[in-house]
Amino acid sequence: MAEASGPFRVLLTVRVKAGMAADFEKVWAQGSAEVTAQPANLGHALARSALEDDVYYVVSDWTDREAFLEFESSPGHVRHREKLHPYREGGSLAMMQVLEGAR
């Protein structure tokens, strides 16, 4: 396995219930400051699919896997996920180690 040379990246794909996109975006933004306040968070972003209606992507970078998993199970993050749950119809989570990157 290749040695880690970059951040630990998380990609969350979210399918939002029809007609609830604006509310989902608003609630997501309200929880954004909690994520970026984490010392191990290197940044995160919300993107809307250009190909599929009501599909969003959340990308976040972390110093390492353990720090992300600690945040993922924290009471504050669990509460935020519960606030987003009414808008979600489904989704998936991918976790990866960034090996190389270019600007």
Side-chain angles (χ1 to χ4, degrees):
M1 180 173 256
E3 188 174 318
S5 62
F8 184 74
R9 181 162 291 162
V10 178
L11 171 62
L12 174 64
T13 302
V14 180
R15 183 167 299 281
V16 174
K17 293 176 183 174
M20 300 187 91
D23 291 332
F24 170 79
E25 291 176 20
K26 180 180 175 185
V27 173
W28 185 89
Q30 290 170 350
S32 182
E34 182 179 342
V35 177
T36 57
Q38 303 301 310
N41 180 261
L42 303 174
H44 76 138
L46 176 67
R48 184 176 45 242
S49 175
L51 301 175
E52 298 177 84
D53 291 340
D54 300 317
V55 173
Y56 287 83
Y57 303 99
V58 178
V59 180
S60 61
D61 286 342
W62 298 83
T63 55
D64 55 68
R65 181 178 189 267
E66 292 73 24
F68 167 71
L69 292 176
E70 183 177 326
F71 170 72
E72 180 74 357
S73 62
S74 70
H77 185 61
V78 169
R79 280 191 302 275
H80 181 60
R81 284 196 328 251
E82 288 171 351
K83 290 177 185 176
L84 291 169
H85 185 74
Y87 308 101
R88 294 180 60 176
E89 195 168 61
S92 63
L93 179 70
M95 295 185 269
M96 61 207 80
Q97 183 66 53
V98 176
L99 302 178
E100 293 187 36
R103 288 188 172 220

